[in-house]
Amino acid sequence: MTGLRIIATGKQDASCVVTNDDLAKQVETNDQWITSRSGIRQRRFAAPGETTSSLSIGAAKAAIRSLEAQGRSRREIGAVLVATFTPSHLVPNTACLVQEALGLPEDLLALDLNAACSGFLAGLRLCQGLLEQTPGRLVLLIGAEVTSRVVDHTDRNTCVLFGDGAGAAVIAGDQDRPFWWSYGTRGNETVLSCPGIREDKGLPGPIAMEGKEVFRFAVEAIPTGIRAVLERSGTPLEAIDWFVCHQANSRILAHAAKAMGIPMERFYMNLERYGNTSAASIPIALAEMEEKGLLREGQRVMLAGFGGGLSWGAAEIIW
């Protein structure tokens, strides 16, 4: 199996910072209630004119700048994958619009994929397969969401959790960096869902969630995914330098860390500033970590996530 390496990252924040106090003006809630239950203090919402496509393009441009600073060319990119459940268009897909905006070669695969909050992890597995088939080419993988437009802003149980943004990674094949991956699916239409085009209104959304069931699922899914990957890789738990999980809820991550005996210091968390950005959360975190100089060559990084589907996944990469 082809190994892989993330060689460049980038992110694009949505423009509008929305604090818990801002939300308290429109729905019955307060900062203490939100923070104590989720760890979230603010999130970002897309401004008028900002879309999943524009955020994807912004994150991709940042990643391409990093790539080209290394002396490599965007013309090496052989595929663009965008993980999202909130695309700007059904057709054309977001990946095609990224290809156009960045002036990427036309002889590439441009594809959107929807695995909700697990989308970036599913995309990594697809990247591995594409890199096997097209040696010498790169894959641009983006996670992007504008969830603020598919939530019910009168429902305090959901509108306080979600945010908008995009993160991107340029991925290369690398036989010296093995890639181990695990993924699971437990089909369920009710626990966490977002309707598509509906017969009655013709519009998508809103997001519906059974909070207690999602919590139970998540605290099971994260350790399950991580343990499955470690069993395949043979890596001891203590050898993982960073755990970068889907940024959904601080209580979920704390519970999973305690269950596995992992110090919280090894979990990177930024959800207090971003909220749950679904497929964008892991790539935004990686881009932010790289900006801060937290990721060093040779470190072992465990990625883990869960989301609608229900789905979950984990991946061990070497930075």
Side-chain angles (χ1 to χ4, degrees):
M1 295 288 284
T2 298
L4 58 80
R5 180 183 184 185
I6 295 176
I7 61 173
T9 62
K11 67 183 180 71
Q12 180 66 52
D13 295 340
S15 295
C16 300
V17 176
V18 180
T19 67
N20 292 344
D21 290 334
D22 292 330
L23 291 179
K25 298 174 183 177
Q26 66 185 46
V27 67
E28 185 179 351
T29 191
N30 57 65
D31 177 70
Q32 191 277 333
W33 189 90
I34 299 169
T35 304
S36 65
R37 285 162 175 77
S38 68
I40 300 167
R41 297 185 181 277
Q42 67 178 46
R43 72 288 297 144
R44 290 175 174 269
F45 286 173
E50 283 186 319
T51 64
T52 301
S53 299
S54 69
L55 294 173
S56 296
I57 291 165
K61 286 181 175 179
I64 293 297
R65 286 194 295 271
S66 176
L67 177 74
E68 293 178 339
Q70 301 171 41
R72 304 196 66 162
S73 170
R74 68 183 66 193
R75 301 200 65 81
E76 297 176 58
I77 295 173
V80 179
L81 304 179
V82 179
T84 183
F85 79 95
T86 57
S88 309
H89 304 78
L90 294 179
V91 177
N93 67 27
T94 311
C96 285
L97 300 178
V98 171
Q99 179 273 336
E100 177 192 33
L102 271 66
L104 299 178
E106 293 186 4
D107 63 331
L108 55 69
L109 174 69
L111 176 70
D112 286 6
L113 62 105
N114 177 3
C117 304
S118 305
F120 188 78
L121 290 161
L124 277 176
R125 178 64 181 91
L126 295 179
C127 287
Q128 184 184 39
L130 290 168
L131 292 167
E132 284 185 343
Q133 296 299 315
T134 55
R137 302 293 292 272
L138 306 175
V139 179
L140 174 60
L141 174 60
I142 301 166
E145 304 286 9
V146 178
T147 58
S148 62
R149 292 175 186 157
V150 292
V151 296
D152 179 354
H153 288 278
T154 66
D155 177 11
R156 73 170 185 170
N157 294 311
T158 55
C159 74
V160 302
L161 300 177
F162 293 93
D164 306 338
V170 180
I171 300 167
D174 189 334
Q175 296 295 350
D176 294 329
R177 283 172 167 77
F179 171 72
W180 295 278
W181 179 86
S182 173
Y183 200 85
T185 303
R186 185 186 303 167
N188 186 296
E189 191 178 350
T190 59
V191 171
L192 181 56
S193 66
C194 182
I197 297 174
R198 295 175 292 174
E199 186 177 354
D200 56 344
K201 296 181 180 179
L203 298 173
I207 294 171
M209 183 176 67
E210 298 176 8
K212 291 182 179 179
E213 291 302 316
V214 170
F215 187 92
R216 291 191 191 100
F217 165 70
V219 298
E220 171 197 349
I222 291 174
T224 295
I226 291 174
R227 288 179 178 128
V229 170
L230 293 176
E231 184 176 345
R232 294 175 184 178
S233 69
T235 303
L237 185 65
E238 58 272 18
I240 300 296
D241 295 288
W242 284 107
F243 293 84
V244 184
C245 297
H246 168 49
Q247 305 287 301
N249 185 301
S250 60
R251 292 171 60 211
I252 289 173
L253 297 183
H255 193 288
K258 183 178 180 180
M260 300 191 70
I262 306 168
M264 283 303 296
E265 294 76 22
R266 289 162 66 192
F267 281 76
Y268 184 78
M269 294 175 61
N270 63 5
L271 63 87
E272 70 171 13
R273 291 177 286 109
Y274 285 96
N276 180 346
T277 56
S278 187
S281 74
I282 291 176
I284 286 175
L286 290 174
E288 193 170 69
M289 292 175 74
E290 190 164 39
E291 286 178 359
K292 294 179 178 180
L294 298 176
L295 293 168
R296 298 189 298 275
E297 185 165 350
Q299 286 185 326
R300 292 182 180 270
V301 181
M302 179 67 71
L303 312 177
F306 59 91
L310 295 168
S311 62
W312 70 93
E316 180 184 337
I317 61 174
I318 301 175
W319 200 257

